[in-house]
Amino acid sequence: MKALLLKDWFVIWKQCRIMLLIPIVFALISGMMPGSDGDFFRLFSVVILAMFPITVIGLDERNKWEVYAATMPYSKQDMVLSKYVLAVIGIVTGCGLSVIATAFLNPSATSWAEMAPVLVTIFTVGCIYTAFIMPVIFRFGVEKGRMWFIILAVLLAGGIGALNTMAQGQNSVVFSFLKFIQSSLLWLPVAGIVLLALSALLSISIYSKREFS
């Protein structure tokens, strides 16, 4: 798998090195903005880095990498898991960039006790994003998967909106559940990692049935 990750990095560096500047710029902007003002840029820095595996898959499809890889000693499981590992590396890197930028650019204006829950939440959002989109990409490919990604994004946004509406009533079951989750920061990343693991198993099952010629 190390060789696959190195291949993906070389593809990113050769084909998308300019795109690497975007999450760095967003992280720098978030570091210059105090408190929650920079959370939007922190989130997008992580999401953009989490999207790089999809970019690599798209380039692989264009260059028929899957056909070539079938002749090499890589299992389809390794092919799938390498993309998930790349996504997690991107998510962690995005969170790390935000911490470094804030530490150097605006250390006195930021409460690290307040920033920690934000970083945990952003990490979880990155995991959830990856968990939902990767099986779609492995099933339909990048080009066909774009439409499904839009549909999925609308459904997720609608679901979050509905959840938020139901949570307005402070005696509701949803409100009580959300307060329970917020009571421990460990629940969020654990839930994100578990969802990511289940997604990886689903993607392996989908990809193992695909034939390349």
Side-chain angles (χ1 to χ4, degrees):
M1 185 181 297
K2 181 180 178 181
L4 290 172
L5 289 171
L6 284 174
K7 187 275 298 181
D8 290 344
W9 166 248
F10 289 141
V11 169
I12 292 171
W13 183 250
K14 185 175 179 62
Q15 302 289 336
C16 320
R17 68 179 70 178
I18 299 300
M19 290 179 60
L20 291 172
L21 294 176
I22 300 175
I24 294 175
V25 170
F26 278 0
L28 291 174
I29 294 173
S30 72
M32 292 184 290
M33 303 177 72
S36 61
D37 295 337
D39 291 347
F40 172 85
F41 295 98
R42 292 186 182 97
L43 176 60
F44 269 83
S45 177
V46 169
V47 170
I48 290 171
L49 285 167
M51 289 176 61
F52 272 99
I54 300 173
T55 302
V56 172
I57 292 172
L59 293 169
D60 286 347
E61 290 177 353
R62 186 186 309 169
N63 294 295
K64 305 295 183 182
W65 158 255
E66 297 95 341
V67 179
Y68 178 67
T71 66
M72 303 178 71
Y74 300 125
S75 67
K76 290 186 176 180
Q77 175 176 313
D78 290 337
M79 299 282 287
V80 171
L81 291 180
S82 66
K83 297 302 184 290
Y84 276 86
V85 172
L86 183 63
V88 172
I89 291 173
I91 294 168
V92 173
T93 300
C95 293
L97 285 174
S98 295
V99 171
I100 293 171
T102 302
F104 279 94
L105 298 176
N106 207 357
S108 60
T110 301
S111 169
W112 293 102
E114 294 178 359
M115 189 175 177
V118 173
L119 291 173
V120 169
T121 302
I122 290 174
F123 172 85
T124 306
V125 170
C127 289
I128 292 173
Y129 167 84
T130 302
F132 276 99
I133 193 58
M134 292 299 274
V136 175
I137 296 299
F138 280 114
R139 173 63 179 86
F140 298 102
V142 173
E143 292 301 323
K144 294 181 180 179
R146 293 184 196 277
M147 179 186 69
W148 291 102
F149 171 67
I150 294 173
I151 294 173
L152 182 61
V154 171
L155 290 175
L156 286 175
I160 293 173
L163 193 65
N164 182 63
T165 300
M166 289 186 290
Q168 297 304 312
Q170 296 195 3
N171 294 322
S172 69
V173 175
V174 174
F175 179 82
S176 300
F177 175 74
L178 292 178
K179 292 297 290 183
F180 172 72
I181 293 296
Q182 292 174 357
S183 65
S184 174
L185 288 178
L186 291 177
W187 283 102
L188 288 176
V190 168
I193 292 170
V194 169
L195 190 60
L196 204 59
L198 294 174
S199 172
L201 292 175
L202 177 59
S203 293
I204 291 171
S205 176
I206 291 171
Y207 196 70
S208 63
K209 298 174 183 177
R210 292 183 60 181
E211 299 293 336
F212 303 101
S213 59

